[in-house]
């Protein structure tokens, strides 16, 4: 076999049409072997003798796409000094574009012996671990163009590749649960009819099913356990795992783009699947443990701000390079449109505290590729001071956990300051205005993958996670949920009606709030996980979306959700790009304020009203004739005006229509009705009229321009 010196850049395996260049970083190694793996179980070892700036490299003519490979690193094994090299362990390439196979758990993939953790384990891991794959980078993208949907037009739909598609009756069985299923017309039609503009996929980076879960007969269903930051997860591919997963993922992105739907990836750059000091040796640990991971004062152990056993070392230039190279790769080569960063506060821990001036944010800010796509932070982690909602830099948007909590509290009848709800409804200016951000920095959501589904939010007071095998200790215990009078499944028609109304309340509130709305897959037809609020390990029908059939109890929720999404899309007053001023807007020739708040008696809110802890009903006037931001060509934006009436109390209330903010109105939403009042069929009301809102309901009035 010919071995040429090759190049130190780019890292990974790069096929050029005639052969493949291999490059891998390790400062800890004395010697590195590239192992070409054969289908008969044998391997050909090639020593990487060339080294530039600790990058070992070689070019092998004739090595083609589909070739499986790995690395063996010869070097010090001294855990007390943070060194864990072990040539008996076949290591994945951190830059592998595809990964083949799955781990067969056993002592072979660990660097120590189970009965003697201090003793080095020299059992060969190759037969039981995964392998990296050389990939052909060429793909016919045709005339693919990114939708580049502005945030104020964006509606995000969070989904799991398998969970969304596994039970869809319109999909061929061989495609269910795969990337190809996302490209199927049945899925795309549902998303477009719903009004979705961005599909936010739960982790599709190659991840690992934890040893503990496999022993329990479970799987890491959610996928927040990454081992390959460049490789699409191979179990979601219907064509094969020797590079076919890359082609299949690209094909799905191309099809979604054709439907004008963006693809956002939920990415996990805060830790890896190698776990703590008792975890397996799969890649980074064996290559250069101290360069990739945050170690404690005793280097045998790992700093953990993620709850997973380890955290990546965010002050290491090689870790930062890995993350930025990965992000650019998914944008330039895989054509994705943005990222949602799991436990993003950990990425800001350059030293110990969360620091918005950390190197990671500097790199993202100046990067000409990554800075131009959607960047969404989950603005917390489990470390000290990790809750950072509202504290990310101006380029970023954030999952607004305070929005979720406030809206849940409102509709379950929690007595809390009505001023906080007002702030959440209008874009959370208290969180985002002081650093130059706008309402669109707030990604609003009521439910997501983590926690109760919307159906379960109104059906359970307590979590029911016994199926997870942790005696119901896992998962959040304070869910701000309310079961509407019965825990779990019930035949009581009054309870079922109230639950349906509460779900309509949540959907309507979400879609008519300023900011960017995010739906969780299946909530539009009330999917349930039977009270499990932590289904991370439930790769089964418990967590997969069950698509509804005609005549089901919550069948009208889908049409109501569609109506709310399209009401939002049709009216710019619900998706403003600037915060409300609370006064008339200059140049609009309208004496009315751009927003006004009223008690249910139709009187403008006073400071005393805002301060009342027992406030339980409120109306808000949104002036469509006082939108301050211009259109794309500098034109003035005008819209109808709306009056939103909220009655989250436990009793029926009469709401007076304010007398000075419009004479003639039409009811366009009434969550007390099963269909929510389809557009064009609502009753007409006049200023000074009284509307009766039943307990826990919401009504929306529209006044034409």
């Amino acid at each position: 076999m010919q071995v040429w010196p090759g190049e130190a850049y780019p890292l990974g395996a790069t096929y050029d049409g005639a052969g493949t260049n291999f490059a891998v970083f390790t400062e800890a190694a004395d010697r590195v072997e590239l192992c070409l793996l054969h289908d008969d179980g044998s391997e050909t070892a090639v020593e990487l003798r060339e080294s530039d700036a600790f990058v070992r490299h070689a070019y092998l003519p004739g090595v083609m796409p589909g070739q499986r490979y790995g690395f063996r690193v010869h070097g010090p094994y001294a855990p007390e000094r943070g060194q864990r090299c072990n040539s008996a362990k076949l290591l994945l390439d951190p830059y592998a574009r595809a990964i083949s196979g799955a781990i067969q758990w056993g002592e072979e993939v660990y660097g120590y012996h189970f009965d003697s953790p201090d003793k080095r384990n020299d059992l060969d891991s190759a037969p039981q671990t995964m392998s990296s794959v050389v990939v052909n980078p060429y793909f016919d993208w045709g005339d693919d163009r990114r939708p580049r949907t502005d945030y104020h037009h964006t509606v995000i739909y969070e989904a799991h590749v398998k969970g969304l598609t596994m039970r869809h009756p319109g999909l061929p069985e061989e495609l269910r649960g795969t990337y190809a299923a996302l490209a199927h017309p049945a899925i795309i039609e549902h998303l477009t009819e719903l009004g979705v503009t961005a599909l936010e996929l739960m982790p599709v980076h190659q991840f690992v099913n934890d040893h503990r879960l496999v022993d329990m007969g479970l799987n890491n269903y959610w996928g927040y356990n990454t081992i390959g930051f460049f490789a699409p997860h191979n179990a979601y591919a219907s064509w094969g795992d020797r590079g076919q997963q890359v082609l299949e993922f690209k094909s799905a992105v191309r099809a979604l783009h054709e439907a004008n739907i963006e693809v956002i990836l939920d990415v996990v750059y805060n830790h890896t699947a190698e776990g703590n000091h008792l975890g397996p040796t799969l890649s980074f640990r064996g290559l250069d443990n101290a360069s990739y991971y945050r170690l404690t004062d005793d280097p045998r152990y790992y700093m953990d701000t993620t709850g997973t056993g380890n955290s990546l070392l965010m002050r290491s230039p090689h870790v930062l390079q890995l993350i930025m190279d990965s992000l650019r790769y998914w944008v330039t080569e895989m054509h994705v449109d943005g990222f949602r960063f799991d436990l993003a506060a950990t990425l800001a821990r350059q030293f110990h505290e969360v620091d918005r001036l950390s190197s990671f944010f500097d790199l993202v800010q100046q990067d000409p590729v990554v800075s131009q796509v959607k960047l969404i932070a989950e603005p917390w982690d489990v470390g000290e001071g990790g809750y950072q909602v509202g504290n990310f830099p101006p380029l970023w948007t954030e999952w607004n956990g305070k929005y979720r909590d406030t809206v849940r509290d409102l509709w379950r009848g929690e007595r809390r300051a009505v001023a906080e709800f007002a702030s959440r409804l209008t874009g959370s200016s208290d969180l985002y205005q002081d650093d130059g951000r706008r309402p669109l920095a707030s990604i609003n959501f009521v439910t997501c993958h983590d926690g109760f589904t919307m159906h379960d939010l109104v059906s359970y007071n307590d979590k029911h996670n016994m199926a997870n095998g942790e005696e119901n200790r896992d998962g959040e215990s304070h869910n701000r949920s309310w079961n509407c009078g019965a825990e779990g499944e019930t035949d009581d028609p009054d309870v079922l009606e109230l639950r349906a109304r509460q779900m309509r309340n949540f959907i309507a509130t979400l879609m008519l709030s300023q900011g960017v709305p995010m739906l969780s897959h299946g909530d539009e037809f009330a999917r349930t996980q039977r009270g499990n609020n932590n289904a991370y390990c439930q790769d089964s029908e418990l967590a997969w979306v069950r698509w509804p059939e005609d005549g089901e109890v919550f069948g009208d929720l889908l049409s109501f959700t569609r109506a709310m999404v399209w009401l939002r899309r049709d009216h710019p007053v619900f998706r403003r790009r600037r915060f409300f001023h609370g006064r008339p807007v200059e140049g609009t020739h309208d004496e009315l304020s751009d927003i006004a708040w009223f008690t249910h008696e139709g009187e403008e809110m006073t400071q005393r009203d805002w301060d009342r802890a027992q406030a339980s009903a409120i109306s808000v006037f949104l002036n469509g004739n006082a939108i301050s931001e211009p259109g794309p060509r500098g034109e003035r934006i005008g819209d109808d005006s709306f009056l939103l009436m909220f009655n989250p109390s436990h009793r029926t209330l009469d709401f007076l229509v304010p007398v000075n903010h419009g004479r003639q109105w039409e009811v366009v939403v009434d969550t007390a009705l099963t269909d929510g009042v389809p557009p064009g069929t609502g009753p007409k009301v006049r200023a000074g009229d009284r509307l009766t809102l039943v307990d826990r309901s919401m009504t929306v009035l529209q006044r034409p321009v």
Side-chain angles (χ1 to χ4, degrees):
M1 176 178 292
Q2 295 185 62
V3 181
W4 299 352
E7 303 290 341
Y9 187 85
L11 290 164
T14 306
Y15 173 69
D16 63 4
T20 302
N21 189 83
F22 295 89
V24 62
F25 161 77
T26 170
E27 191 172 347
D30 298 325
R31 191 161 60 91
V32 177
E33 290 178 305
L34 165 68
C35 298
L36 302 180
L37 307 175
H38 310 299
D39 290 343
D40 63 2
S42 63
E43 61 184 61
T44 300
V46 176
E47 184 171 351
L48 301 182
R49 299 182 182 276
E50 298 294 325
S51 178
D52 293 294
F54 301 111
V55 175
R56 311 293 178 105
H57 53 88
Y59 180 91
L60 274 60
V63 170
M64 297 287 109
Q67 174 65 58
R68 296 184 301 120
Y69 70 98
F71 297 111
R72 294 189 186 274
V73 172
H74 300 260
Y77 182 82
E80 69 279 3
R81 297 199 299 273
Q83 299 168 324
R84 293 181 179 268
C85 298
N86 187 337
S87 60
K89 310 306 168 187
L90 184 74
L91 305 177
L92 290 169
D93 181 355
Y95 278 72
R97 269 54 171 183
I99 292 174
S100 177
I103 296 174
Q104 305 300 313
W105 289 109
E107 199 171 40
E108 293 84 351
V109 297
Y110 290 83
Y112 62 92
H113 288 282
F114 291 166
D115 60 357
S116 183
D118 295 328
K119 183 180 178 181
R120 171 176 159 145
N121 176 348
D122 289 325
L123 296 172
D124 185 9
S125 70
Q128 294 186 255
T129 194
M130 301 182 289
S131 56
S132 306
V133 180
V134 177
V135 167
N136 188 338
Y138 305 107
F139 179 78
D140 183 9
W141 282 103
D143 58 356
D144 179 68
R145 297 181 64 185
R146 293 185 178 87
R148 299 189 183 279
T149 307
D150 291 331
Y151 269 120
H152 65 286
H153 289 297
T154 296
V155 176
I156 299 174
Y157 188 85
E158 186 200 31
H160 187 282
V161 172
K162 188 172 185 179
L164 178 65
T165 63
M166 196 64 185
R167 302 179 69 187
H168 194 297
L171 295 176
E173 288 194 14
E174 64 272 15
L175 296 186
R176 296 181 185 182
T178 70
Y179 302 122
L182 297 177
H184 193 277
I187 296 297
I188 291 179
E189 181 181 359
H190 173 72
L191 297 177
T192 54
E193 288 182 353
L194 189 58
V196 168
T197 70
L199 183 62
E200 182 178 302
L201 295 175
M202 291 173 64
V204 298
H205 287 174
Q206 184 68 50
F207 61 85
V208 171
N209 282 319
D210 315 54
H211 193 168
R212 179 185 67 87
L213 292 177
V214 172
D215 284 350
M216 296 168 63
L218 302 170
N219 284 314
N220 193 315
Y221 168 65
W222 283 352
Y224 293 92
N225 203 34
T226 305
I227 197 61
F229 295 108
F230 294 78
H233 186 61
N234 57 27
Y236 296 155
S238 63
W239 303 349
D241 71 354
R242 298 287 185 91
Q244 295 94 332
Q245 61 265 56
V246 179
L247 299 177
E248 190 171 330
F249 181 86
K250 288 179 176 179
S251 297
V253 172
R254 184 177 59 192
L256 288 161
H257 282 179
E258 287 175 358
N260 211 35
I261 297 173
E262 294 184 307
V263 178
I264 298 172
L265 300 188
D266 193 338
V267 290
V268 190
Y269 292 111
N270 50 73
H271 74 281
T272 80
E274 291 186 303
N276 63 17
H277 62 289
L278 297 177
T281 299
L282 306 175
S283 180
F284 309 92
R285 173 173 284 144
L287 282 166
D288 195 332
N289 186 57
S291 289
Y292 281 110
Y293 293 115
R294 290 176 63 95
L295 305 179
T296 65
D297 292 339
D298 183 342
R300 291 176 296 177
Y301 305 111
Y302 296 81
M303 186 84 68
D304 179 17
T305 59
T306 64
T308 62
N310 66 58
S311 301
L312 284 171
L313 183 61
M314 293 307 298
R315 64 176 178 270
S316 164
H318 303 289
V319 169
L320 292 170
Q321 180 186 4
L322 172 80
I323 295 174
M324 296 305 299
D325 285 350
S326 170
L327 292 170
R328 278 191 297 270
Y329 173 79
W330 286 95
V331 174
T332 60
E333 297 298 321
M334 308 296 265
H335 286 208
V336 305
D337 305 281
F339 306 94
R340 178 266 189 189
F341 293 80
D342 178 65
L343 301 180
T346 290
L347 302 177
R349 293 184 185 273
Q350 186 168 343
F351 295 99
H352 176 70
E353 296 180 349
V354 177
D355 182 2
R356 62 184 289 168
L357 301 178
S358 71
S359 298
F360 173 70
F361 292 133
D362 291 342
L363 290 172
V364 170
Q365 181 73 37
Q366 60 79 44
D367 191 278
V369 174
V370 179
S371 65
Q372 298 306 302
V373 300
K374 288 183 168 67
L375 302 172
I376 304 170
E378 181 186 34
W380 50 77
D381 63 15
V382 300
E384 182 181 357
Y387 192 77
Q388 294 291 320
V389 174
N391 291 331
F392 275 68
L395 190 65
W396 292 70
T397 62
E398 301 176 10
W399 271 26
N400 191 342
K402 292 187 177 182
Y403 178 94
R404 172 200 60 202
D405 296 345
T406 303
V407 171
R408 287 186 178 192
D409 279 349
L410 175 84
W411 286 115
R412 72 188 178 113
E414 184 74 11
R415 303 291 191 178
R416 62 187 297 168
V418 71
E420 183 170 3
F421 171 68
S423 178
R424 303 297 158 246
L425 185 74
T426 56
S428 295
S429 60
D430 58 324
L431 299 177
Y432 304 117
Q433 192 169 28
D434 62 350
D435 58 10
R437 288 189 284 177
R438 293 183 172 179
L440 302 168
S442 178
I443 306 297
N444 298 329
F445 66 106
V446 177
T447 58
C448 63
H449 69 274
D450 190 2
F452 282 142
T453 66
M454 191 168 292
H455 169 278
D456 293 357
L457 184 66
V458 300
S459 304
Y460 294 89
N461 286 345
D462 303 305
K463 62 185 180 182
H464 296 265
N465 297 354
M466 293 302 295
N468 295 356
E470 299 180 44
E471 298 181 350
N472 211 36
R473 293 190 301 268
D474 64 303
E476 176 61 57
S477 296
H478 183 44
N479 294 281
R480 293 181 162 88
S481 61
W482 178 49
N483 65 18
C484 298
E487 186 73 359
E489 296 302 313
T490 180
D491 294 326
D492 188 322
D494 292 334
V495 172
L496 292 175
E497 195 282 326
L498 177 55
R499 289 177 179 177
R501 186 160 76 246
Q502 286 285 70
M503 286 189 283
R504 291 192 292 270
N505 289 332
F506 283 127
I507 293 292
T509 304
L510 176 65
M511 289 302 156
L512 304 183
S513 295
Q514 305 297 324
V516 180
M518 184 185 78
L519 285 167
S520 181
H521 66 184
D523 275 352
E524 68 271 29
F525 28 71
R527 82 176 181 96
T528 178
Q529 292 177 168
R530 298 198 290 275
N532 191 318
N533 74 347
N534 190 34
Y536 78 102
C537 58
Q538 298 296 328
D539 189 1
S540 67
E541 292 187 355
L542 178 70
W544 302 337
V545 173
R546 184 176 72 84
W547 292 74
E549 299 177 2
D550 292 340
E552 293 196 48
V553 174
F554 296 113
D556 289 322
L557 185 61
L558 175 57
S559 58
F560 179 77
T561 304
R562 287 172 177 163
M564 289 301 96
V565 174
W566 287 100
L567 181 64
R568 175 189 182 83
R569 292 187 69 174
D570 289 343
H571 293 284
V573 74
F574 296 122
R575 42 185 176 81
R576 292 171 54 109
R577 305 194 308 277
R578 296 177 181 172
F579 288 108
F580 289 100
H581 300 282
R583 62 177 185 274
V585 176
E586 294 182 8
T588 61
H589 308 293
D590 194 321
E591 297 180 355
L592 296 176
S593 173
D594 58 355
I595 188 171
W597 299 88
F598 301 91
T599 68
H600 70 91
E601 290 292 340
E603 300 172 350
E604 287 211 44
M605 294 278 287
T606 65
Q607 189 59 50
R608 181 180 178 184
D609 294 320
W610 288 116
D611 292 340
R612 286 174 58 201
Q614 297 301 309
S616 60
I618 193 171
S619 295
V620 57
F621 167 75
L622 305 180
N623 190 347
N625 197 39
I627 299 175
S628 58
E629 62 265 24
R633 293 178 176 83
E635 73 276 16
R636 179 176 171 269
I637 297 175
D639 192 12
D640 296 344
S641 295
F642 289 84
L643 186 67
L644 281 57
M645 298 175 167
F646 298 89
N647 180 19
S649 71
H650 64 279
R651 58 194 179 96
T652 297
L653 290 174
D654 285 340
F655 278 66
L656 189 143
V657 179
V659 295
N660 296 320
H661 286 72
R663 298 173 58 187
Q664 187 79 28
W665 298 84
E666 179 183 352
V667 177
V668 292
V669 178
D670 184 351
T671 62
L673 303 179
T674 302
D675 59 7
V677 182
T681 64
K684 304 295 191 296
V685 296
R686 298 178 63 84
D689 287 352
R690 289 187 176 271
L691 284 179
T692 300
L693 271 66
V694 302
D695 61 292
R696 299 181 177 90
S697 71
M698 174 181 172
T699 294
V700 178
L701 307 183
Q702 181 177 357
R703 190 198 74 191
V705 176

